[in-house]
Amino acid sequence: MIDTPSLKLSDVRKQYGNHTALGGVSFEVPQGSIFGLLGPNGAGKTTLIRMVAGITGPDSGEIDFFGNALTRDDVKHIGYLPEERGLYKNMRVGEQAMYFARLRGMSNEFAEKELRGWFERLEVDGWWDKEVADLSKGMAQKIQFIVAVLHNPKLLILDEPLSGFDPINAARIRTEINRLRDENGTTILLSTHDMSSVDELCDHVALINHGTKILDGPVASLRENARKGKIDLKFRGNLISFTAALGAGAILHSAESKGENIHEVVLGLPTSIPIEQFIKWVASEVDVLSCSPRIISMDDVFLQAVKNSEAS
Ligand code: ADP
């Protein structure tokens, strides 16, 4: 049986005056996925996220949360880390975290125990009595991350979650995001304009451009489709007989001689031919020195999708 998606958006639209921020967006976020909402600045990601977090409503269209229309009551199962940082400057860190926990209906004792655990895990345990005003952007973001996940939400929404972090702390947050998904089954919806961060984190994505979804699906299959079966192959053997043997099975995009009967070629493999089968065949024809399917970055996937959407 296929699980009900955590989120299902159907033809969601939002207008600001004459400006269409979202022009009818539909996609599903599978349960337990780390789902990236990708697109350049101004694409409409924050507008969409704020609707899912229950802060604003769409002008039209539907948002379903675990199979039912999203209501105010669902907000207690949602954690939200907004892009703009919203801690009160004149409070101490621990005091403020406790305040947010109590807003979530947690008892003092439970909230403090949970918070101390999180502070330790994110290595901020020395900060409990610090003034919020003394925190750097990254430090404040860590505290807000903790506040967003403390009540163990079914859906965690993160708007540009890695933007304020140095590489070490960004890696730490990535680890926590993965752990929440793996250990708690949390569904994570995150937005970013940094496509490369997706490669290490997301299993599904939707690409948004000018308020329109131009592509969505599992990261692996989007990459596979965009790759169009390109393979880099280096071999020792006869290029002409190899090309003849390829026949209609694959296309030779380019070939470069590296001397002593060694060649570097780029091949195009139709998606109908499984790559493993093709590699086995190549190995039976020539002496393979290296063979690697071309890895396409999410940047390339996005650019290709933009080009295709503008051409159609
Ligand atoms: P993203 O998060 O992808 O950068 P946003 O959702 O913030 O994009 O913005 C989408 C578009 O809607 C932008 O052109 C932005 O200027 C516009 N927009 C967003 N919020 C408002 C608002 N409150 N009033 C008017 N225009 C807005």
Side-chain angles (χ1 to χ4, degrees):
M1 199 185 84
I2 296 173
D3 281 339
T4 313
S6 298
L7 269 181
K8 183 175 174 196
L9 282 80
S10 313
D11 201 19
V12 168
R13 291 169 190 271
K14 185 80 177 178
Q15 194 87 19
Y16 293 115
N18 287 335
H19 179 73
T20 304
L22 291 172
V25 171
S26 308
F27 61 84
E28 292 184 5
V29 177
Q31 275 191 42
S33 61
I34 301 182
F35 193 102
L37 201 55
L38 311 186
N41 290 326
K45 305 180 297 295
T46 301
T47 302
L48 214 154
I49 269 185
R50 286 167 59 87
M51 285 186 216
V52 174
I55 294 167
T56 54
D59 295 340
S60 64
E62 276 109 54
I63 301 176
D64 286 347
F65 183 70
F66 290 86
N68 296 305
L70 180 74
T71 65
R72 292 225 158 270
D73 210 36
D74 293 320
V75 172
K76 63 173 182 281
H77 300 296
I78 296 177
Y80 175 44
L81 174 70
E83 192 185 5
E84 73 282 1
R85 311 302 166 206
L87 296 175
Y88 304 113
K89 291 229 168 0
N90 54 355
M91 277 172 107
R92 290 187 189 274
V93 171
E95 186 188 3
Q96 180 141 165
M98 286 292 289
Y99 167 77
F100 282 115
R102 279 199 301 270
L103 282 186
R104 291 285 187 185
M106 296 169 104
S107 72
N108 273 348
E109 199 187 351
F110 184 66
E112 184 162 349
K113 187 170 146 278
E114 290 292 297
L115 279 170
R116 296 273 184 199
W118 271 104
F119 271 50
E120 212 168 290
R121 202 151 44 233
L122 289 185
E123 294 174 26
V124 295
D125 31 343
W127 299 1
W128 192 268
D129 292 318
K130 247 187 199 292
E131 298 276 355
V132 169
D134 294 337
L135 299 182
S136 69
K137 185 175 180 227
M139 286 165 143
Q141 204 172 351
K142 264 192 185 176
I143 303 299
Q144 281 203 280
F145 180 85
I146 293 173
V147 167
V149 300
L150 194 65
H151 62 300
N152 199 10
K154 281 157 80 173
L155 172 69
L156 176 62
I157 304 172
L158 306 168
D159 200 351
E160 297 281 359
L162 304 177
S163 64
F165 289 120
D166 57 63
I168 291 172
N169 281 303
R172 193 164 283 150
I173 294 293
R174 273 204 299 272
T175 304
E176 286 307 320
I177 293 173
N178 276 313
R179 201 181 58 78
L180 283 165
R181 192 264 311 268
D182 296 342
E183 291 179 15
N184 300 9
T186 313
T187 304
I188 290 133
L189 175 67
L190 65 91
S191 85
T192 182
H193 65 277
D194 174 12
M195 317 280 172
S196 59
S197 67
V198 166
D199 288 331
E200 295 142 354
L201 203 51
C202 299
D203 41 48
H204 287 70
V205 290
L207 304 180
I208 312 276
N209 197 30
H210 299 308
T212 310
K213 181 197 80 183
I214 52 173
L215 200 66
D216 70 323
V219 171
S221 63
L222 293 184
R223 273 230 201 81
E224 176 64 23
N225 290 342
R227 186 174 68 77
K228 297 250 166 50
K230 276 199 180 153
I231 296 172
D232 292 303
L233 170 70
K234 188 172 181 183
F235 69 89
R236 185 179 287 114
N238 185 299
L239 179 63
I240 293 170
S241 54
F242 175 71
T243 312
L246 273 180
I251 303 153
L252 181 70
H253 285 295
S254 65
E256 207 177 316
S257 172
K258 293 287 170 184
E260 290 194 35
N261 235 9
I262 292 174
H263 307 278
E264 271 181 12
V265 296
V266 179
L267 301 170
L269 183 67
T271 40
S272 56
I273 301 179
I275 207 156
E276 300 78 19
Q277 186 187 322
F278 182 73
I279 290 171
K280 248 189 222 159
W281 175 82
V282 170
S284 71
E285 290 290 316
V286 289
D287 179 13
V288 176
L289 300 174
S290 68
C291 179
S292 52
R294 240 178 222 197
I295 306 290
I296 292 277
S297 70
M298 262 342 261
D299 268 326
D300 292 332
V301 174
F302 183 79
L303 291 175
Q304 237 181 62
V306 169
K307 228 166 44 192
N308 294 345
S309 73
E310 280 165 2
S312 61

